[in-house]
Amino acid sequence: MVAIRACEEADHPALAGLMGEMQAHYKVPCPADDDIRAGLANRPAGTELLVAEHDGALIGFAAFSALYPGPGLRSGFFLKEIYVAQAARGLGAGKALLAELARLALARGFGRIDWTAARDDERLLRFYEGLGAKRHPEKVFFRLTGEGLARLAED
């Protein structure tokens, strides 16, 4: 059985390893383990983490933050990241993480959860749609980084 709970400081070593696996999965550069742990310990206020456990091992996580305003001027969550270890896929951890996030949203009076997903990962998109999530093609995702971020900050 998969158990979901809030992340605790004692989870940081295992979570850092899982985040390293996630970076490799997405084929993106990964900071050193110590840097990941420092990021976890010093993450911005308002950032929350849920972890998924199975047989005493950390197998997944969800990172999210509250946002305001949303439709109807209600609060909501933005799910920044959800990841389940490759070896633990199929145990229901992803659905369990999202279900707990939905319970948290409703308990706090929030009206929605938003997130992004890879447009070309049809399996993942079917998973999200199977949970009742709807695609919103009228929205465009933007990102400002690197030189563009620095240039705008100078204006």
Side-chain angles (χ1 to χ4, degrees):
M1 181 168 142
V2 175
I4 307 299
R5 60 176 176 76
C7 180
E8 301 170 357
E9 189 175 341
D11 297 318
H12 290 185
L15 186 53
L18 193 56
M19 288 180 161
E21 177 186 321
M22 177 185 71
Q23 295 298 94
H25 173 80
Y26 290 119
K27 298 176 177 67
V28 295
C30 186
D33 188 75
D34 286 346
D35 291 336
I36 298 171
R37 289 185 195 197
L40 286 166
N42 299 305
R43 65 185 184 270
T47 304
E48 297 183 65
L49 294 163
L50 292 174
V51 294
E53 289 182 310
H54 179 70
D55 289 338
L58 195 81
I59 61 166
F61 74 94
F64 57 99
S65 296
L67 295 174
Y68 178 84
L73 299 179
R74 292 182 66 197
S75 296
F77 280 131
F78 182 78
L79 174 64
K80 173 55 184 97
E81 208 65 67
I82 183 167
Y83 185 76
V84 175
Q86 184 69 38
R89 301 221 173 125
L91 295 175
K95 182 177 182 180
L97 284 162
L98 286 166
E100 181 60 21
L101 187 56
R103 285 188 285 276
L104 283 173
L106 292 175
R108 294 180 190 182
F110 291 3
R112 69 197 256 177
I113 302 169
D114 289 324
W115 66 92
T116 63
R119 184 183 320 266
D120 60 351
D121 190 340
E122 282 299 323
R123 183 174 168 259
L124 180 63
L125 298 176
R126 282 192 307 275
F127 168 72
Y128 289 146
E129 288 173 339
L131 298 175
K134 305 285 187 237
R135 295 185 202 196
H136 282 267
E138 71 277 5
K139 297 290 184 179
V140 177
F141 175 72
F142 286 91
R143 178 173 292 150
L144 189 59
T145 62
E147 289 181 27
L149 180 66
R151 193 171 40 254
L152 183 58
E154 292 173 3
D155 284 350

